[in-house]
Amino acid sequence: MNPSLPYRRVLSKLLLLAVIAVLILAGLLLTFIIVVPADHQLLSIFATAAVIVLLFALAGSVFLLRSLTRHLAEKPKLEARELRLMNIQRALGETNDAIMRLEKEYALFPLVCRIAVEYGGMLHAWVGAIDESGEKIIPATSYGKDVSYIDGITISASAGEAGESGPVGTAFHEKRHVIVNDYGSDRFLSSWRDRAMRQDIRSGAFFPVLRNGRPYAVFVVNSDHVNVFDQDTVNLLKEMAANISFALDNFDREAARHQSEIALRESEGRFRLIADEAPFPMQIHAEDGEILLINRAWTGLTGYSLTDIPTISLWTRKACGGHESEARVNIDNLYRSSRNSSEEYRIRCKDGTERICYFSSTSLGKLPDGRRTIISMAMDVTEKRLAEKALRLTQFSVNQASDPLFWITQDARIHFVNEAACRMLGYTRDELLARSIEDINPTNTSEVWDERWQELRAKRSVSRETLLRTKQQKTIQVESTSNFIEFEEKEYNCAFVRDITEKKRTEELVWQQANFDALTGLPNRSMFLDRLEHEIRKAKRTGIPMALMFLDLDHFKNVNDTLGHNMGDLLLKDASERLRSCVRETDTVARLGGDEFTVILADLHELNSIERIARNILEKLSEPFHLGEEVVYVSASIGITFYPEDASDIADLLKNADQAMYAAKQQGRNCHHYFTQSMQEAAQARMKLIKDLRGALDGNQFEVAYQPIVELSTGIIHKAEALIRWRHPTKGIINPAEFIPAAEETGLIHEIGDWIFWEAVDQAVIWREKHHPQFQISVNMSPVQFRENDKSRAAWLQYLQSLEIPWLSIVVEITEGLLLDATPGTTEQLLAFHDAGMQVAIDDFGIGYSSLSYLKKFDIDYLKIDRSFVSSLASGSHDMALCEAIIVMAHKLDMKVIAEGVETEEQLVLLANAGCDYAQGFLFSKPVSAAVFDDLYKTGFPNIKAVTAIQCSPHHSNRQLAF
């Protein structure tokens, strides 16, 4: 646009205003001439108006003159700017044209610099690029009048590094242009301003040149005038820099394309070599029918080479014979659908022989000329098909056999069955062949099958009775005769089977009638005596006691007499079911006759469980019996005796149980009685203990004592174990070993466990604020609390969260047995503790059953060495070796170790030297109240380091520490 046009528009407007003013003045004068003679006052008004108009015209003229003067002064500058923009636009066009023609990358930068000077009117132009070290930006090329000012310029290529980088470094690192419109005052040029000024450089522009999006160089143009680089000029130069970047990227793309073409040619050569040497027959053809490749294996199979069959049509005509059209259709369909194809044909080879071949074809992609290609691979299956035909004849003969036949492989898969086998099991042949022997024989687990396979291999022929499961999930009993067969280098179990279900059902019915009560289905006296004898032998062998219960229904005769025997039979059936529900599946409930029942309780690891079972039976049988429309109430009297404590044979056990049962009746019925007086007294005491235990929590009889856990490396009390104490109002302090089992049996352990947890958390809050922010308190958890899947664990975590105390402040102590018998509920709770950040310790480690894999599975944090290992600890002893092994193992698994029951200096020194982390025991303190614990914490155990440094010797093994 012509820069003088705006000024011309202004001058036109001013002239128009001047003309209007003159016209107004003329009108006023004319009016004045006409009306003056009549009115002197009006004459005054018109005179005033004329003066105003004259002043307005005079002001307009002055403004007009000033505008003309300013326009004349700025006109050279505007014309120079217009000329400069035209030159830059011309340089941009020349750059674009040159880039389109440019073939060599090294000519790009010199070309651009020359164009910027010759066409763009710049004083200098140069390009700075990264040197070989990658640390400096140096001039790569330059053009213009005396560009020696850039010699020796040091520009850092590292972003943020101090140095003389100035606008060049800024443009490079920040990927933005930098404009210096006055070299004399711009802050960027303080380090090398003088050399620029000597070369008459007054302004400059610096543009980043990118390559693949990353800084690669800086394009610099200089002018001998200040304020040259306005926004329009900068935009044109930015476009020029962008075109340079585009050219660099294009060079890279061309280089990559050239490398790809080379790689493609090399890959094609390798493919042809590999294909020709491939061991399987291979043919590649294009959609226009040209066969591109036939490898040696294909020629070896068919006799045809690429010279014999250069096209698909010749191949199908020569090799496919009568099914030539079918082969052509399949090939055409393959090109149309681009799907894989598998076909089997009989082909005619070049020597006239016929072979049966399996062809697999798939799309291979397009050639450079756009033609689609197919690769076909062949497999000679002639011998296989002949063998299959012979096998079909054999199978036909076998299928006509009346007895079911199974061929089973060593890995228990069903390899073959005849029609009789399919009819017997209700499956189709394909369904059976897709199954293993374990699917149809529930007794044949993988372990059992391996054992039976080895037996069959050794004996060559084995007969046995087993079970099979039909498709309708019906189990049938069969007699199987297995023969070991080796066929085609494979081993098979060839089994002939005969259904003996009906025979066994008849035998079972006879046995059932001889051993079970017809009314209740319970074992009768004969079966009861047999099982009692078995359990006595088992108890004698294992050393685990057993119990026998005699049970008689109270007042059952009244039911028979008043309601009839039919109602009595219904009551006996219901009573039998209730008895079964009160005991384990491994226990035996039998009916001896009438209303007399017996219960055999084997494997009694805890004799105290008898009390719970007897009480449960009494409660169940005391519930109402609904006999039709009648409701009947009965109770039971139970006699209990133990083997081997009360008797050593069946006769004495029966007598003792019977006597105890009558003693229960004499006590008023609806109760149980133990044969021995000592057991009776113990049971009564236990019942009294449970009764008192139920009121202990509400009566505030429980207390919590805290035993310090000392860090051996510092002597600091780092943790404490919370231990419950029951202060009975009449018996005084009761040992937890006496009442905790009762609490677990009755379920009170949940309420007691929650109470201990709340107390420990509240105390942890106090001690973490008062003593140390990382202080921890350990709380013991009963296995019952896990097995019951108690929901209070969630309440624990919520309580910790409500107090804003870290979950790490509480450590949960569990036993080894809990991990060994971990249920999904137990695992879920332990993982919840771990995910919440609460740590877990294994208490009494080393004395129970354990599996080391659980230490890794459950992310245990602490192992507590049981006091039984510590009590006899001595240098070189077995206990010392076990302690050292536990400590090393724990540390390898990233766990800490706490030794329990430390009572002497020798034990402390040995444990410290073995690397034990913490210790607790009477050597430091017995369990104490929170107030006494505070005093212990203040005092601490500062002498622990000195004591653990003492070498163990006999003369101080039993000394107590005086802290």
Side-chain angles (χ1 to χ4, degrees), residues 272 274-284 293-301 304-305:
R272 286 187 172 275
I274 293 172
D276 195 49
E277 298 298 329
F280 47 86
M282 180 188 302
Q283 179 195 99
I284 299 177
L293 181 144
I294 290 178
N295 70 350
R296 295 180 184 178
W298 186 284
T299 303
L301 172 65
Y304 297 108
S305 65

Side-chain angles (χ1 to χ4, degrees), residues 880-896:
M880 187 68 233
L882 289 173
C883 289
E884 289 174 339
I886 292 172
I887 291 169
V888 171
M889 176 194 68
H891 288 171
K892 287 290 186 181
L893 295 177
D894 198 21
M895 291 182 283
K896 299 292 186 181

Side-chain angles (χ1 to χ4, degrees), residues 592-621:
L592 300 187
D595 60 350
E596 290 185 347
F597 297 86
T598 59
V599 179
I600 303 173
L601 301 172
D603 297 328
L604 294 178
H605 296 281
E606 297 181 5
L607 296 180
N608 295 330
S609 62
I610 295 295
E611 182 73 21
R612 174 181 55 80
I613 296 172
R615 189 166 59 249
N616 193 20
I617 291 174
L618 292 175
E619 290 175 359
K620 285 287 185 182
L621 294 178

Side-chain angles (χ1 to χ4, degrees), residues 99-152:
I99 288 175
M100 296 298 294
R101 298 190 302 271
L102 199 62
E103 295 181 357
K104 302 296 182 181
E105 180 181 342
Y106 63 79
L108 175 63
F109 287 161
L111 177 66
V112 171
C113 290
R114 181 177 62 79
I115 291 174
V117 174
E118 292 182 355
Y119 293 93
M122 295 293 110
L123 180 64
H124 303 130
W126 61 279
V127 176
I130 297 293
D131 65 358
E132 293 181 356
S133 69
E135 298 178 353
K136 300 296 180 182
I137 301 175
I138 61 174
T141 187
S142 61
Y143 191 84
K145 179 181 178 182
D146 191 9
V147 293
S148 62
Y149 83 98
I150 63 176
D151 294 341

Side-chain angles (χ1 to χ4, degrees), residues 482-655:
S482 298
N483 299 284
F484 185 79
I485 293 177
E486 295 181 81
F487 178 70
E488 293 184 348
E489 299 182 354
K490 291 186 178 181
E491 299 175 345
Y492 297 93
N493 175 357
C494 178
F496 289 91
V497 175
R498 184 166 60 91
D499 188 349
I500 59 171
T501 305
E502 289 301 322
K503 174 185 176 184
K504 287 296 180 181
R505 185 177 291 118
T506 301
E507 294 175 353
E508 176 69 20
L509 180 59
V510 174
W511 182 83
Q512 183 80 15
Q513 292 173 345
N515 294 280
F516 287 86
D517 177 53
L519 176 63
T520 62
L522 296 177
N524 58 16
R525 179 179 292 274
S526 175
M527 177 61 75
F528 161 72
L529 293 174
D530 181 72
R531 291 191 179 178
L532 180 58
E533 182 180 3
H534 171 76
E535 294 299 342
I536 288 175
R537 288 198 304 267
K538 180 180 176 183
K540 186 176 181 180
R541 182 178 66 256
T542 62
I544 301 174
M546 58 156 286
L548 176 64
M549 288 184 176
F550 250 44
L551 185 148
D552 185 83
L553 298 180
D554 300 326
H555 307 298
F556 174 73
K557 185 174 181 300
N558 294 338
V559 176
N560 272 341
D561 292 344
T562 57
L563 300 179
H565 289 278
N566 289 337
M567 292 298 183
D569 290 345
L570 292 177
L571 189 148
L572 290 173
K573 290 182 180 179
D574 195 351
S576 301
E577 293 300 322
R578 296 187 188 187
L579 283 172
R580 283 197 185 103
S581 68
C582 294
V583 298
R584 301 167 297 182
E585 291 185 2
T586 55
D587 298 327
T588 298
V589 178
R591 181 187 178 210
L592 300 187
D595 60 350
E596 290 185 347
F597 297 86
T598 59
V599 179
I600 303 173
L601 301 172
D603 297 328
L604 294 178
H605 296 281
E606 297 181 5
L607 296 180
N608 295 330
S609 62
I610 295 295
E611 182 73 21
R612 174 181 55 80
I613 296 172
R615 189 166 59 249
N616 193 20
I617 291 174
L618 292 175
E619 290 175 359
K620 285 287 185 182
L621 294 178
S622 297
E623 295 174 0
F625 288 84
H626 296 274
L627 309 177
E629 297 180 356
E630 301 290 338
V631 178
V632 176
Y633 292 88
V634 299
S635 59
S637 299
I638 304 174
I640 306 171
T641 186
F642 292 91
Y643 175 90
E645 183 175 347
D646 297 337
S648 59
D649 57 38
I650 293 178
D652 289 341
L653 278 175
L654 293 174
K655 180 182 65 175

Side-chain angles (χ1 to χ4, degrees), residues 639-703:
I640 306 171
T641 186
F642 292 91
Y643 175 90
E645 183 175 347
D646 297 337
S648 59
D649 57 38
I650 293 178
D652 289 341
L653 278 175
L654 293 174
K655 180 182 65 175
N656 294 345
D658 189 56
Q659 290 176 357
M661 185 267 290
Y662 278 104
K665 284 186 175 292
Q666 291 173 0
Q667 287 183 350
R669 294 183 171 84
N670 195 26
C671 66
H672 61 278
H673 195 285
Y674 293 95
F675 172 72
T676 61
Q677 185 62 31
S678 60
M679 285 295 293
Q680 182 72 4
E681 292 173 355
Q684 291 175 351
R686 182 175 180 79
M687 291 177 62
K688 179 66 168 60
L689 178 71
I690 292 173
K691 179 181 178 182
D692 293 344
L693 188 60
R694 293 185 185 278
L697 198 57
D698 293 335
N700 296 321
Q701 297 173 17
F702 290 123
E703 300 173 356

